[in-house]
Amino acid sequence: LEWQREERQPLGGVGDVDHALVLDGRWIRRAVDQPFDPRRGNVLEIGLGGATPYLLSSRGFLRSHRRLQQWWPVGERDVFTARGEFGLTKAASRFGIPQDYLFRAGGAQSVRGYAYQSLGVVEGNAIVGGRALLTSSLEYTHWRNEHWGVAFFVDAGDAADQWQALRPAVGSGLGARWKSPAGPLAFDLAHGQRSGRWTVHFSLSAVF
């Protein structure tokens, strides 16, 4: 149970003060062969939360979030991975809802080839959260030895204020992988089809 007050002033947009008392929950099921470096199995995450305008909230809403990641072994060392993410905040409008309960996309664990949370709703000169999210990813990792590997990937996704406004942005590229004691470290170079730019991403490829 969380109460949040947010003062928002998007660059070039209209300022607002939003507040919400949210009852929020998350359930995660991990069914993988190794907790830090899986080659087989899947992880499923389901989140659900909401607020009512009758109890310390600017606007009533219901937020749902789903995420699934699947691993398949290939040969002795290689791994193929697929990931999908879905989010929806059901409300009459995004205004009055704090940004933590809306959606943006882009970045290392979302759509590579685009800056972190740079895909969303344009408001003035800023990118803010929307009520709909859909992302997906396919990745093949070839391990050259016990510690070093190379990955090839394609990501796609977008965040918008309505389902009809979703226009998936595609990013693709390759990256280096190193198996550290905390799990594989990822260094990726990705090209964003929509932006036409190359972006560098660095992350810990741990199971979410």
Side-chain angles (χ1 to χ4, degrees):
L1 183 66
E2 178 182 70
W3 185 79
Q4 185 176 131
R5 182 181 186 274
E6 177 182 271
E7 296 184 22
R8 189 168 62 94
Q9 180 60 65
L11 184 63
V14 178
D16 197 10
V17 177
D18 307 325
H19 52 273
L21 179 65
V22 182
L23 181 62
D24 198 25
R26 184 173 60 156
W27 178 80
I28 301 176
R29 182 181 69 89
R30 294 181 176 89
V32 293
D33 56 348
Q34 301 179 60
F36 294 104
D37 183 23
R39 295 189 69 234
R40 185 191 302 274
N42 58 72
V43 176
L44 173 65
E45 176 183 348
I46 299 176
L48 186 65
T52 172
Y54 303 107
L55 190 60
L56 302 175
S57 302
S58 304
R59 181 179 295 279
F61 63 89
L62 181 65
R63 182 185 189 272
S64 61
H65 179 249
R66 308 285 187 274
R67 182 168 171 166
L68 174 66
Q69 189 163 353
Q70 178 76 45
W71 290 264
W72 293 274
V74 180
E76 292 185 9
R77 295 195 184 103
D78 294 0
V79 183
F80 181 72
T81 305
R83 169 174 50 81
E85 187 176 16
F86 158 87
L88 178 64
T89 298
K90 186 173 178 58
S93 169
R94 74 176 186 275
F95 295 103
I97 302 175
Q99 292 292 297
D100 282 352
Y101 304 107
L102 298 171
F103 300 99
R104 284 181 285 179
Q109 300 297 327
S110 180
V111 184
R112 286 163 288 189
Y114 304 87
Y116 177 65
Q117 293 195 343
S118 64
L119 301 174
V121 178
V122 178
E123 188 174 316
N125 299 318
I127 301 295
V128 300
R131 290 174 289 172
L133 170 75
L134 189 63
T135 69
S136 62
S137 175
L138 298 174
E139 179 172 310
Y140 184 91
T141 303
H142 170 61
W143 290 99
R144 298 183 60 83
N145 54 46
E146 292 296 327
H147 302 287
W148 291 96
V150 59
F152 306 89
F153 58 84
V154 177
D155 299 343
D158 196 15
D161 206 34
Q162 299 178 12
W163 283 114
Q164 300 89 326
L166 286 170
R167 300 290 183 270
V170 178
S172 59
L174 57 91
R177 300 290 182 268
W178 174 58
K179 290 187 179 181
S180 75
L185 292 176
F187 181 85
D188 294 325
L189 179 62
H191 180 263
Q193 186 182 63
R194 179 184 295 180
S195 65
R197 298 177 180 177
W198 290 90
T199 306
V200 174
H201 302 278
F202 180 77
S203 64
L204 177 64
S205 300
V207 180
F208 65 87

